[in-house]
Coordinates of all heavy atoms in Angstrom, one line a residue:
G293 N 93.0 111.8 100.8 CA 92.4 113.0 100.3 C 93.0 114.3 101.1 O 93.8 114.1 102.0
K294 N 92.7 115.4 100.6 CA 93.1 116.7 101.2 C 94.6 116.8 101.4 O 95.1 117.2 102.4 CB 92.4 117.0 102.5 CG 90.8 117.0 102.3 CD 90.2 117.6 103.5 CE 88.7 117.6 103.2 NZ 88.0 118.5 103.8
G295 N 95.4 116.3 100.4 CA 96.8 116.5 100.5 C 97.6 115.5 101.3 O 98.8 115.7 101.4
M296 N 96.9 114.5 101.9 CA 97.6 113.5 102.7 C 98.3 112.5 101.7 O 97.8 112.2 100.7 CB 96.6 112.7 103.6 CG 96.0 113.6 104.6 SD 97.1 113.8 105.9 CE 96.2 114.6 107.1
Q297 N 99.5 112.1 102.2 CA 100.2 111.1 101.4 C 99.6 109.7 101.7 O 99.0 109.4 102.7 CB 101.7 111.1 101.9 CG 102.4 112.4 101.7 CD 102.5 112.7 100.2 OE1 102.7 111.9 99.4 NE2 102.5 114.0 99.9
C298 N 99.8 108.8 100.7 CA 99.3 107.5 100.9 C 99.9 106.7 102.1 O 99.2 105.9 102.7 CB 99.6 106.6 99.6 SG 98.9 107.3 98.1
V299 N 101.1 107.1 102.4 CA 101.8 106.5 103.6 C 101.2 106.7 104.9 O 101.6 106.2 105.9 CB 103.3 106.8 103.6 CG1 104.0 106.3 102.3 CG2 103.5 108.2 103.8
V300 N 100.2 107.6 105.0 CA 99.5 107.9 106.2 C 98.7 106.7 106.6 O 98.5 106.5 107.8 CB 98.7 109.2 106.1 CG1 97.8 109.5 107.3 CG2 99.7 110.4 105.9
C301 N 98.1 106.0 105.7 CA 97.1 105.0 105.9 C 97.6 103.6 105.4 O 97.1 102.6 105.9 CB 95.8 105.3 105.3 SG 95.0 106.8 105.9
H302 N 98.4 103.6 104.3 CA 98.8 102.4 103.7 C 100.3 102.0 103.9 O 101.1 102.9 103.9 CB 98.6 102.5 102.2 CG 97.1 102.7 101.9 ND1 96.2 101.7 101.8 CD2 96.4 103.9 101.6 CE1 95.0 102.2 101.6 NE2 95.1 103.5 101.4
V303 N 100.5 100.8 104.0 CA 101.9 100.3 104.1 C 102.7 100.6 102.9 O 102.2 100.7 101.8 CB 102.0 98.7 104.4 CG1 101.4 98.4 105.7 CG2 101.4 97.9 103.3
V304 N 104.0 100.9 103.2 CA 104.9 101.4 102.0 C 105.3 100.2 101.2 O 105.3 100.3 99.9 CB 106.1 102.1 102.6 CG1 107.1 102.4 101.5 CG2 105.7 103.3 103.3
N305 N 105.6 99.0 101.8 CA 106.1 97.8 101.1 C 105.0 96.8 101.3 O 104.9 96.2 102.3 CB 107.4 97.4 101.8 CG 108.0 96.2 101.0 OD1 107.4 95.7 100.1 ND2 109.2 95.9 101.4
P306 N 104.3 96.5 100.2 CA 103.2 95.6 100.3 C 103.7 94.1 100.4 O 102.9 93.3 100.8 CB 102.4 95.8 99.0 CG 103.4 96.3 98.1 CD 104.3 97.1 98.9
H307 N 104.9 93.8 100.0 CA 105.4 92.5 100.0 C 105.6 91.9 101.5 O 106.3 92.4 102.3 CB 106.8 92.4 99.3 CG 106.7 92.9 97.9 ND1 106.0 92.2 96.9 CD2 107.1 94.0 97.4 CE1 106.1 92.8 95.8 NE2 106.7 94.0 96.0
G308 N 104.8 90.9 101.8 CA 104.7 90.3 103.1 C 103.8 91.0 104.1 O 103.6 90.5 105.2
A309 N 103.2 92.1 103.7 CA 102.2 92.8 104.6 C 100.9 92.0 104.4 O 100.2 92.2 103.4 CB 102.1 94.2 104.2
R310 N 100.5 91.3 105.4 CA 99.2 90.6 105.3 C 98.1 91.5 105.9 O 97.6 91.2 107.0 CB 99.4 89.2 106.0 CG 100.3 88.4 105.4 CD 100.5 87.1 106.0 NE 101.6 86.3 105.3 CZ 101.8 85.1 105.4 NH1 100.9 84.4 106.2 NH2 102.8 84.5 104.8
R311 N 97.8 92.5 105.1 CA 96.7 93.5 105.6 C 95.8 93.6 104.5 O 96.1 93.9 103.3 CB 97.4 94.8 105.9 CG 98.4 94.8 106.9 CD 97.8 94.8 108.3 NE 98.8 95.0 109.3 CZ 98.5 95.0 110.6 NH1 97.3 94.8 111.0 NH2 99.5 95.2 111.4
G312 N 94.5 93.5 104.8 CA 93.4 93.9 103.8 C 93.6 95.4 103.5 O 93.9 96.2 104.4
R313 N 93.4 95.6 102.2 CA 93.5 96.9 101.6 C 94.8 97.6 101.9 O 95.0 98.8 101.7 CB 92.4 97.8 102.1 CG 91.1 97.4 101.5 CD 89.9 97.5 102.5 NE 88.7 97.0 102.0 CZ 88.4 95.7 102.1 NH1 89.2 94.8 102.6 NH2 87.3 95.2 101.6
L314 N 95.9 96.9 102.4 CA 97.2 97.3 102.7 C 97.2 98.4 103.7 O 98.0 99.4 103.7 CB 98.0 97.8 101.4 CG 98.2 96.7 100.4 CD1 98.9 97.2 99.1 CD2 99.0 95.5 101.0
I315 N 96.2 98.4 104.6 CA 96.1 99.4 105.7 C 97.2 99.1 106.7 O 97.4 97.9 107.1 CB 94.7 99.3 106.4 CG1 93.6 99.7 105.4 CG2 94.7 100.1 107.6 CD1 93.6 101.1 104.9
G316 N 97.9 100.1 107.1 CA 99.0 100.0 108.1 C 98.6 100.8 109.3 O 97.8 101.7 109.3
Y317 N 99.2 100.4 110.5 CA 98.9 101.1 111.7 C 100.2 101.7 112.3 O 101.3 101.3 112.1 CB 98.4 100.1 112.7 CG 97.1 99.4 112.2 CD1 97.1 98.2 111.5 CD2 95.9 100.1 112.3 CE1 96.0 97.7 111.0 CE2 94.7 99.6 111.8 CZ 94.8 98.3 111.1 OH 93.7 97.8 110.6
A318 N 99.9 102.8 113.1 CA 101.0 103.6 113.7 C 101.8 102.6 114.6 O 101.3 101.7 115.2 CB 100.5 104.7 114.6
G319 N 103.1 102.7 114.6 CA 104.0 101.9 115.3 C 104.5 100.6 114.6 O 105.3 99.9 115.1
E320 N 104.0 100.4 113.4 CA 104.5 99.2 112.6 C 106.0 99.5 112.2 O 106.3 100.7 111.9 CB 103.6 99.0 111.4 CG 102.3 98.5 111.7 CD 101.7 97.6 110.7 OE1 102.3 96.7 110.2 OE2 100.6 98.0 110.3
P321 N 106.8 98.5 112.2 CA 108.2 98.6 111.8 C 108.4 98.8 110.3 O 107.5 98.5 109.5 CB 108.8 97.4 112.3 CG 107.8 96.3 112.1 CD 106.5 97.1 112.4
A322 N 109.6 99.2 110.0 CA 110.1 99.2 108.6 C 110.2 97.7 108.2 O 110.4 96.9 109.1 CB 111.4 99.9 108.5
P323 N 109.9 97.4 106.9 CA 109.8 98.2 105.8 C 108.3 98.6 105.5 O 108.1 99.2 104.5 CB 110.3 97.4 104.7 CG 109.8 96.0 105.1 CD 110.0 96.0 106.6
Y324 N 107.4 98.3 106.4 CA 106.0 98.7 106.1 C 105.7 100.1 106.5 O 104.8 100.7 105.8 CB 105.1 97.7 106.9 CG 105.4 96.2 106.7 CD1 106.0 95.5 107.6 CD2 105.3 95.8 105.4 CE1 106.4 94.2 107.4 CE2 105.7 94.4 105.1 CZ 106.3 93.6 106.1 OH 106.6 92.4 105.8
N325 N 106.3 100.7 107.4 CA 106.1 102.0 107.8 C 107.3 102.9 107.3 O 108.4 102.6 107.6 CB 106.0 102.2 109.4 CG 105.4 103.4 109.9 OD1 105.3 104.4 109.0 ND2 105.0 103.5 111.1
Y326 N 107.0 104.0 106.6 CA 108.0 104.9 106.0 C 108.7 105.6 107.2 O 109.9 105.9 107.1 CB 107.3 105.8 105.1 CG 108.2 106.9 104.5 CD1 109.3 106.6 103.7 CD2 108.0 108.2 104.8 CE1 110.1 107.5 103.2 CE2 108.8 109.2 104.4 CZ 109.9 108.9 103.5 OH 110.8 109.8 103.1
N327 N 108.0 105.9 108.2 CA 108.5 106.7 109.4 C 109.3 107.9 109.0 O 110.5 108.1 109.5 CB 109.4 105.7 110.2 CG 108.6 104.9 111.1 OD1 107.6 105.3 111.7 ND2 109.1 103.6 111.4
G328 N 108.7 108.7 108.2 CA 109.3 110.0 107.7 C 109.4 111.0 108.9 O 108.8 110.8 110.0
P329 N 110.1 112.1 108.7 CA 110.2 113.1 109.8 C 109.0 113.9 110.2 O 108.9 114.4 111.2 CB 111.4 113.9 109.2 CG 111.3 113.9 107.8 CD 110.8 112.5 107.5
G330 N 108.1 114.1 109.2 CA 106.9 114.9 109.5 C 105.8 114.1 110.1 O 105.8 112.9 110.1
P331 N 104.8 114.9 110.6 CA 103.7 114.2 111.3 C 102.9 113.3 110.4 O 102.2 112.4 110.8 CB 102.9 115.3 111.9 CG 103.3 116.6 111.1 CD 104.7 116.3 110.6
Y332 N 102.9 113.6 109.1 CA 102.1 112.9 108.1 C 102.9 112.2 107.1 O 102.5 111.9 106.0 CB 101.0 113.8 107.4 CG 100.1 114.4 108.4 CD1 100.2 115.7 108.7 CD2 99.3 113.6 109.2 CE1 99.4 116.3 109.8 CE2 98.5 114.2 110.2 CZ 98.5 115.5 110.5 OH 97.8 116.0 111.4
D333 N 104.2 111.9 107.5 CA 105.1 111.1 106.6 C 105.3 109.7 107.2 O 106.3 109.0 107.1 CB 106.5 111.8 106.6 CG 106.5 113.1 105.9 OD1 105.6 113.3 105.0 OD2 107.3 113.9 106.2
K334 N 104.3 109.2 107.9 CA 104.3 107.9 108.5 C 102.9 107.4 108.7 O 101.9 108.1 108.5 CB 105.0 107.9 109.8 CG 104.4 108.9 110.8 CD 105.3 109.1 112.0 CE 106.1 110.3 111.8 NZ 107.2 110.7 112.5
L335 N 102.8 106.2 109.1 CA 101.4 105.6 109.4 C 100.9 106.3 110.6 O 101.6 106.4 111.6 CB 101.5 104.1 109.6 CG 101.9 103.3 108.3 CD1 102.3 101.9 108.7 CD2 100.7 103.3 107.3
V336 N 99.6 106.6 110.7 CA 99.0 107.3 111.8 C 97.7 106.6 112.4 O 97.2 106.9 113.4 CB 98.7 108.8 111.5 CG1 99.9 109.5 111.2 CG2 97.7 108.9 110.5
L337 N 97.3 105.6 111.6 CA 96.0 104.9 112.0 C 96.2 104.0 113.3 O 97.3 103.4 113.4 CB 95.6 104.0 110.9 CG 95.0 104.6 109.6 CD1 94.5 103.6 108.6 CD2 93.9 105.6 110.0
K338 N 95.2 104.0 114.1 CA 95.2 103.1 115.2 C 94.1 102.1 115.2 O 94.1 101.1 115.9 CB 95.0 104.0 116.5 CG 96.2 104.8 116.8 CD 96.3 105.4 118.1 CE 97.5 106.1 118.3 NZ 97.8 106.5 119.7
G339 N 93.2 102.3 114.2 CA 92.1 101.3 114.0 C 91.5 101.5 112.6 O 91.5 102.6 112.1
F340 N 90.9 100.5 112.1 CA 90.2 100.6 110.8 C 89.1 99.6 110.8 O 89.3 98.5 111.2 CB 91.3 100.2 109.7 CG 90.7 100.2 108.3 CD1 90.5 101.4 107.6 CD2 90.3 99.1 107.7 CE1 90.0 101.4 106.4 CE2 89.8 99.1 106.4 CZ 89.6 100.3 105.7
K341 N 88.0 100.0 110.2 CA 86.8 99.2 110.2 C 86.4 98.9 108.7 O 86.2 99.9 107.9 CB 85.7 99.8 110.9 CG 84.4 98.9 110.9 CD 83.3 99.6 111.8 CE 82.1 98.7 111.9 NZ 81.1 99.3 112.7
K342 N 86.4 97.7 108.3 CA 86.0 97.3 106.9 C 84.6 97.7 106.7 O 83.7 97.4 107.5 CB 86.3 95.8 106.7 CG 86.0 95.4 105.3 CD 86.3 93.9 105.2 CE 85.8 93.4 103.8 NZ 86.0 92.0 103.6
A343 N 84.3 98.3 105.5 CA 83.0 98.7 105.2 C 82.2 97.6 104.5 O 82.8 96.6 104.1 CB 83.0 100.0 104.2
N344 N 80.9 97.7 104.4 CA 80.1 96.8 103.8 C 80.2 96.7 102.2 O 79.9 95.7 101.6 CB 78.6 97.0 104.1 CG 78.3 96.8 105.5 OD1 78.9 96.0 106.2 ND2 77.4 97.5 106.1
G345 N 80.7 97.8 101.7 CA 80.9 97.8 100.2 C 82.0 98.9 99.8 O 82.4 99.7 100.7
P346 N 82.5 98.8 98.6 CA 83.6 99.7 98.2 C 83.3 101.2 98.3 O 84.1 102.0 98.4 CB 83.9 99.3 96.8 CG 82.6 98.6 96.3 CD 82.0 98.0 97.5
N347 N 82.0 101.6 98.2 CA 81.6 103.0 98.3 C 81.1 103.4 99.7 O 80.5 104.4 99.8 CB 80.6 103.2 97.2 CG 81.1 103.0 95.8 OD1 82.3 103.4 95.5 ND2 80.3 102.4 95.0
S348 N 81.2 102.5 100.6 CA 80.6 102.7 102.0 C 81.6 103.3 103.0 O 81.4 103.4 104.2 CB 80.1 101.5 102.5 OG 79.1 101.0 101.7
Y349 N 82.9 103.6 102.6 CA 83.9 104.1 103.5 C 83.7 105.5 103.8 O 83.3 106.3 102.9 CB 85.3 103.9 103.0 CG 85.7 102.4 103.0 CD1 85.7 101.7 101.9 CD2 86.2 101.8 104.2 CE1 86.0 100.3 101.8 CE2 86.5 100.5 104.1 CZ 86.5 99.8 103.1 OH 86.8 98.5 103.1
G350 N 83.9 105.9 105.0 CA 83.7 107.3 105.4 C 84.6 107.7 106.6 O 85.5 106.9 107.0
R351 N 84.3 108.8 107.2 CA 85.2 109.2 108.4 C 85.2 108.3 109.5 O 86.1 108.2 110.3 CB 84.6 110.6 108.8 CG 84.9 111.7 107.8 CD 84.3 113.0 108.3 NE 84.6 114.0 107.3 CZ 85.0 115.2 107.7 NH1 85.1 115.6 109.0 NH2 85.2 116.1 106.7
L352 N 84.1 107.6 109.7 CA 84.0 106.7 110.8 C 84.7 105.3 110.6 O 84.7 104.5 111.5 CB 82.6 106.4 111.2 CG 81.9 107.7 111.8 CD1 80.4 107.3 112.1 CD2 82.6 108.3 113.0
S353 N 85.2 105.2 109.4 CA 85.9 103.9 109.0 C 87.3 103.7 109.7 O 87.9 102.7 109.7 CB 86.1 103.7 107.5 OG 84.7 103.7 106.9
C354 N 87.9 104.9 110.1 CA 89.2 104.7 110.6 C 89.3 105.5 112.0 O 88.5 106.4 112.2 CB 90.3 105.2 109.7 SG 90.1 106.9 109.2
Y355 N 90.3 105.2 112.8 CA 90.5 105.8 114.0 C 92.0 106.2 114.1 O 92.9 105.5 113.8 CB 90.2 104.9 115.2 CG 90.7 105.4 116.6 CD1 89.9 106.4 117.1 CD2 91.8 105.0 117.1 CE1 90.3 107.0 118.3 CE2 92.3 105.5 118.3 CZ 91.5 106.5 118.9 OH 91.9 107.0 120.1
S356 N 92.2 107.5 114.5 CA 93.6 108.0 114.6 C 93.6 109.2 115.6 O 92.6 109.9 115.7 CB 94.1 108.5 113.3 OG 95.4 109.1 113.4
D357 N 94.7 109.4 116.3 CA 94.9 110.5 117.1 C 95.4 111.7 116.4 O 95.6 112.8 116.9 CB 95.9 110.2 118.3 CG 95.2 109.3 119.3 OD1 94.0 109.2 119.4 OD2 96.0 108.6 120.0
A358 N 95.8 111.5 115.1 CA 96.4 112.6 114.3 C 95.4 113.7 114.1 O 94.3 113.4 113.6 CB 96.9 112.0 113.0
A359 N 95.8 114.9 114.3 CA 94.9 116.0 114.2 C 94.3 116.2 112.8 O 93.1 116.6 112.6 CB 95.6 117.3 114.7
G360 N 95.1 116.0 111.8 CA 94.7 116.2 110.4 C 93.9 115.1 109.8 O 93.4 115.2 108.7
C361 N 93.7 114.0 110.6 CA 93.0 112.8 110.0 C 91.6 112.9 110.4 O 91.1 112.3 111.5 CB 93.7 111.6 110.6 SG 94.7 110.7 109.5
H362 N 90.8 113.5 109.6 CA 89.3 113.5 109.9 C 88.9 114.1 111.3 O 87.9 113.7 111.8 CB 88.7 112.2 109.6 CG 88.9 111.6 108.3 ND1 88.6 112.2 107.2 CD2 89.5 110.4 108.0 CE1 89.0 111.4 106.2 NE2 89.5 110.3 106.6
G363 N 89.8 114.7 112.0 CA 89.4 115.2 113.3 C 89.2 114.2 114.3 O 88.3 114.3 115.1
K364 N 89.9 113.1 114.3 CA 89.9 112.0 115.3 C 88.6 111.3 115.3 O 88.1 111.0 116.4 CB 90.2 112.5 116.8 CG 91.6 113.1 116.9 CD 91.8 113.6 118.3 CE 93.2 114.3 118.3 NZ 93.5 114.7 119.7
H365 N 88.0 111.1 114.2 CA 86.7 110.4 114.1 C 86.9 108.9 114.4 O 88.0 108.4 114.3 CB 86.0 110.6 112.7 CG 85.5 111.9 112.6 ND1 84.2 112.3 113.0 CD2 86.0 113.0 112.0 CE1 84.0 113.5 112.7 NE2 85.0 114.0 112.0
G366 N 85.9 108.2 114.6 CA 85.9 106.7 114.7 C 86.2 106.4 116.2 O 86.2 107.2 117.1
T367 N 86.3 105.1 116.4 CA 86.5 104.6 117.8 C 87.4 103.5 117.7 O 87.6 102.8 116.6 CB 85.1 104.2 118.4 OG1 85.4 103.6 119.7 CG2 84.4 103.2 117.5
N368 N 88.2 103.2 118.7 CA 89.1 102.1 118.7 C 88.5 100.8 119.3 O 89.1 99.9 119.6 CB 90.4 102.4 119.4 CG 91.5 101.6 119.0 OD1 91.5 101.1 117.9 ND2 92.6 101.5 119.8
A369 N 87.2 100.8 119.4 CA 86.5 99.6 120.0 C 85.5 99.1 119.0 O 84.8 99.9 118.3 CB 85.9 99.9 121.3
G370 N 85.1 97.9 119.0 CA 84.0 97.3 118.3 C 84.2 97.2 116.8 O 83.8 98.1 116.1
G371 N 84.8 96.1 116.3 CA 84.9 95.9 114.9 C 86.1 96.4 114.2 O 86.2 96.3 113.1
Y372 N 87.0 97.1 115.0 CA 88.2 97.6 114.4 C 89.3 96.6 114.4 O 89.5 95.9 115.3 CB 88.6 99.0 115.1 CG 87.8 100.1 114.6 CD1 86.5 100.3 115.1 CD2 88.2 101.0 113.6 CE1 85.7 101.3 114.7 CE2 87.4 102.0 113.2 CZ 86.2 102.2 113.7 OH 85.4 103.2 113.3
D373 N 90.1 96.6 113.4 CA 91.3 95.8 113.2 C 92.5 96.6 113.7 O 93.1 97.4 112.9 CB 91.5 95.5 111.7 CG 91.0 94.2 111.3 OD1 90.9 93.3 112.1 OD2 90.8 94.1 110.0
P374 N 92.9 96.4 114.9 CA 94.1 97.2 115.4 C 95.4 96.6 114.9 O 95.4 95.5 114.4 CB 94.0 97.1 116.9 CG 93.2 96.0 117.2 CD 92.3 95.7 116.0

């Protein structure tokens, strides 16, 4: 949302990416990470927590150091898939 590209949270190439919801993490190699030149042209997540239901995701579902990503909500401990 809020103008963010899909590549900020999701892998670019789903083939071979064994990730639930195609969530990708900062530092992943190509071809899964676009690694574009801008701060939000690449994967920025450091952690992700699966919600109890499809409508239960919120700001605390992900963890990132990126300033534009929900203001660094979430935690990298306890239940997160790094």
Side-chain angles (χ1 to χ4, degrees):
K294 300 197 179 209
M296 292 285 184
Q297 299 294 325
C298 301
V299 297
V300 172
C301 302
H302 299 280
V303 295
V304 177
N305 183 352
H307 303 289
R310 296 179 184 199
R311 301 279 188 181
R313 289 145 188 84
L314 298 177
I315 296 295
Y317 300 98
E320 289 205 54
Y324 308 113
N325 196 347
Y326 174 67
N327 279 326
Y332 303 110
D333 293 335
K334 61 190 97 195
L335 293 168
V336 299
L337 291 182
K338 294 197 174 188
F340 178 80
K341 184 175 182 180
K342 184 179 173 185
N344 291 331
N347 298 320
S348 300
Y349 288 98
R351 292 178 177 221
L352 296 177
S353 297
C354 63
Y355 170 77
S356 175
D357 289 334
C361 255
H362 304 303
K364 299 183 185 180
H365 287 277
T367 177
N368 202 20
Y372 282 79
D373 260 339

